[in-house]
């Protein structure tokens, strides 16, 4: 009975995720987010008519499970700690943070990386995409996490720069410091 209840709960969660993403894609219900990964006027790849691509975005979220260490947060954000224990100074959304990060699409293609530039990045956390505003405060200095961000808390249905609308984004984030602490 417990297994059946968990299966029903998983199906309901997936329906909610799919429904919110489909509504966002079809109705344009999410505003474009401000993000630190802004790039000059580079056009995002067009995937607006590709249902298989949109399905892959949802499958990438569904494949991340609790037994593999993934935790669910507000808005459908999935995260897991891969280094550190979460103890120590933690930032708030009002803080400016220094971190290393790598961002990829669900197919593994990278779109932005401070590691690749060989230099950490410093950002006001409140100006980053909602997914980072939710995840980074869960970290302590020295921690590294992975996040899977549905489009609704990343760049929405329109996208920005090289990021197409509706994209689920995967990030590895290493918190190096909090300005003033």
């Amino acid at each position: 009975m417990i297994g059946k209840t968990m299966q029903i709960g998983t199906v309901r969660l997936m329906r909610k995720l799919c429904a919110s993403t489909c509504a966002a894609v079809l109705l344009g219900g999410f505003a474009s987010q401000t993000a630190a990964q802004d790039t000059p006027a580079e056009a995002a790849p067009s995937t607006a008519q590709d249902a298989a691509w949109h399905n892959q975005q949802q499958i990438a979220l569904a494949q991340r499970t609790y037994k593999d260490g993934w935790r669910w947060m507000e808005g459908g954000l999935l995260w897991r700690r891969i280094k550190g224990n979460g103890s120590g100074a933690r930032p708030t959304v009002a803080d400016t943070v220094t971190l290393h990060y790598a961002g990829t699409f669900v197919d593994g293609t990278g779109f932005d990386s401070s590691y690749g530039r060989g230099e950490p990045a410093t950002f006001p956390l409140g100006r980053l995409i909602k997914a980072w505003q939710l995840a980074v405060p869960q970290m302590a200095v020295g921690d590294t996490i992975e996040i899977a961000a549905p489009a609704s808390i990343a760049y929405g249905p329109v996208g920005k720069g090289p990021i197409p609308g509706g994209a689920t984004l995967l990030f590895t984030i290493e918190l190096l410091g909090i300005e003033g602490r």
Side-chain angles (χ1 to χ4, degrees):
M1 185 65 175
I2 292 175
K4 181 78 169 170
T5 302
M6 288 176 66
Q7 183 179 10
I8 291 169
T10 302
V11 168
R12 286 182 182 151
L13 175 61
M14 287 310 302
R15 283 183 183 156
K16 284 182 182 179
L17 284 172
C18 290
S20 66
T21 300
C22 290
V25 169
L26 295 173
L27 302 175
F30 293 103
S32 179
Q33 301 286 328
T34 300
Q37 296 88 352
D38 289 349
T39 57
E42 187 178 321
S46 177
T47 56
Q49 302 302 318
D50 188 354
W53 183 87
H54 285 286
N55 288 340
Q56 287 300 316
Q57 306 312 297
Q58 295 305 310
I59 290 168
L61 294 169
Q63 290 175 333
R64 287 162 170 75
T65 66
Y66 185 82
K67 78 174 186 178
D68 293 327
W70 290 93
R71 304 296 180 259
W72 185 87
M73 290 183 74
E74 174 187 339
L77 177 69
L78 297 172
W79 75 282
R80 69 177 171 182
R81 192 178 317 278
I82 58 174
K83 179 183 161 204
N85 61 12
S87 64
R90 290 182 179 205
T92 68
V93 174
D95 286 319
T96 296
V97 294
T98 299
L99 35 75
H100 260 308
Y101 66 94
T104 64
F105 296 115
V106 300
D107 68 1
T109 304
F111 60 84
D112 193 11
S113 174
S114 66
Y115 293 109
R117 290 189 297 275
E119 185 176 340
T122 299
F123 302 118
L125 187 52
R127 295 199 57 212
L128 301 178
I129 60 174
K130 182 71 173 175
W132 282 41
Q133 292 178 30
L134 294 168
V136 174
Q138 305 304 311
M139 305 174 71
V141 174
D143 286 357
T144 302
I145 64 171
E146 293 177 329
I147 66 172
S152 61
I153 56 173
Y155 290 93
V158 177
K160 189 168 190 174
I163 306 194
T168 292
L169 304 178
L170 309 176
F171 291 97
T172 298
I173 306 169
E174 177 184 2
L175 181 58
L176 301 175
I178 304 167
E179 192 174 280
R181 294 201 217 170

